Amino acid sequence: MRARHAARDVRRAKEFEAFVAGAGGRMTQTATLLTGEPPENNPRARRLLTFALAHTYACWDRLHGEDPYDHARRHLALRFADTAWHQYATWQHYAARGRARERLAGPLAGLTPQERLILVLRLYEGVGEEQVAALLGLPTERVHTICDRATATVLHPPAPSAPLPGAKAATT
């Protein structure tokens, strides 16, 4: 009995290692796009990915033919959605007082976390509007509207606002 469990654990570990070897790069890129961090310095994205992969490994035997990539991507998206609002609200709080601690980088930097999430799932990952809507608990029309707005923002970013007359230039 013990030998059978050990053999199953070895098989499970090898299957999961093969999955991570094949999907790890794309999932890292997805997590990096979601967090808005630069690819060369993305600790939040790596932490997000680690949680998603750990959850997938814990559920590995219960997937029963389900696509492990889809499972990991769903968990990655939900984990990001759960934490992003709090982080975004904190960042907005500090930015309003001129003390923003972090700056997002890349083409998705001008988007809110919800816009980034929907845009990445729809355009980078190719997930259908209905699936994204079901995952996030939003109406399909709302997902469509947010995706359109985010795409327009990425393609035509707003011009930086001019400083107010008499305002001192910010130094960093």
Side-chain angles (χ1 to χ4, degrees), residues 18 20 22 27 32 36 40 56 62 70 74 88 93 101 109 117 143 152 162-163 165 168:
V20 172
M27 292 197 75
T32 301
E40 62 280 353
T56 302
R62 295 186 306 263
D70 184 52
R74 267 195 330 264
Y88 182 70
H93 171 78
R101 295 181 318 190
L117 177 59
V143 169
K168 292 183 180 179

Side-chain angles (χ1 to χ4, degrees), residues 56-78:
T56 302
Y57 184 73
C59 297
W60 194 258
D61 291 334
R62 295 186 306 263
L63 292 179
H64 300 295
E66 183 182 345
D67 180 15
Y69 185 83
D70 184 52
H71 185 271
R73 179 180 57 214
R74 267 195 330 264
H75 191 73
L76 180 74
L78 290 174

Side-chain angles (χ1 to χ4, degrees), residues 1 23 27 30 75 81 83 88 91 101 113 121 137 141 147 149 166 169:
M1 182 77 127
M27 292 197 75
T30 299
H75 191 73
T83 60
Y88 182 70
W91 182 83
R101 295 181 318 190
L121 288 175
E141 298 80 25
C147 188
R149 183 179 60 222

Side-chain angles (χ1 to χ4, degrees), residues 72-103:
R73 179 180 57 214
R74 267 195 330 264
H75 191 73
L76 180 74
L78 290 174
R79 180 90 183 191
F80 174 75
D82 285 346
T83 60
W85 172 248
H86 174 69
Q87 291 170 346
Y88 182 70
T90 302
W91 182 83
Q92 290 289 80
H93 171 78
Y94 283 109
R97 287 162 178 69
R99 299 179 293 172
R101 295 181 318 190
E102 66 178 331
R103 295 282 181 221

